[in-house]
Every structure is written in structure tokens, then in C-alpha cells.
Amino acid sequence: MIATVLLVLAGYLVGAVPTGLVFGKVAGVDPRLVGSGRVGATNTYRALGLPASIAVAVIDALKGAGLAYLGLRFAAGEWGLAAVVLATVLGQVYSVFLLAQGGRGVATSAGASLILFPLAL
């Protein structure tokens, strides 16, 4: 049970890291000021171009995949696993680091789905 709670907290915090904003800061562009104002891969494409967008999408997908894998291994049952994955996606969408702004959670959800439902993806 304690492992599940820790994974939920870790999932939220890992998901909340605004990857698009990190890439934007390195490039000197704030993706929140372009297009939709979100920090996911699609808006990163608008602000920074294809290479940065692909990198953001891959990193965000790895967030979802990594936490889904850890949830499978250590969370308490199916509900614990669901809570870990949901917390990770909610962290991406409602980032504590951006005052509840973030991406749309598409790449993070896809990464989790790759681990949980590879044939469906």
C-alpha cells in the first residue's frame, strides 16, 4: 500500500515536469506564448520545430511508460496501477510547476498504453 501511494506521488511529479517548457527555455522560446499555449509536443512543434517536438513526445511517452511499468511491478492491484497511471497523466495535464497548466496528456497516455495494452496501441 505504501509503495502504491509513493508511486502515485512520484507519477504525478514526474508527469508534471513540463518537458516542452524545458526545451523552450534551452532554445530561448516560451512555448506557452505560441499557438495553444500548452507545453506538450504539438505546441512545441509550433514553437520550436520538429526535432524538439519529437524529443518532447518521446520523453513524455517515456514518463507514462516508465510509471506504468513501475505500477505493474509494485502497485497494489489493478486499482493501484490505475491510480499511478492516472496520476502521471494528470501531472502532465495539470502541472504543479505551471500552476495547473500543462500539455494534453496524449504522449504520456500513449506511453502508458504501450506498456498496459501494446496490441491495442
Side-chain angles (χ1 to χ4, degrees), residues 21-87:
L21 185 61
V22 171
F23 274 80
K25 292 291 185 184
V26 170
V29 176
D30 189 346
R32 296 174 295 177
L33 303 176
V34 178
S36 69
R38 298 222 174 233
V39 294
T42 301
N43 207 47
T44 300
Y45 173 74
R46 292 182 194 111
L48 303 172
L50 186 60
S53 176
I54 291 171
V56 168
V58 168
I59 292 168
D60 286 349
L62 287 173
K63 290 183 208 179
L67 269 299
Y69 176 76
L70 290 174
L72 277 173
R73 295 285 314 258
F74 301 111
E78 294 173 355
W79 286 103
L81 171 61
V84 172
V85 172
L86 181 62

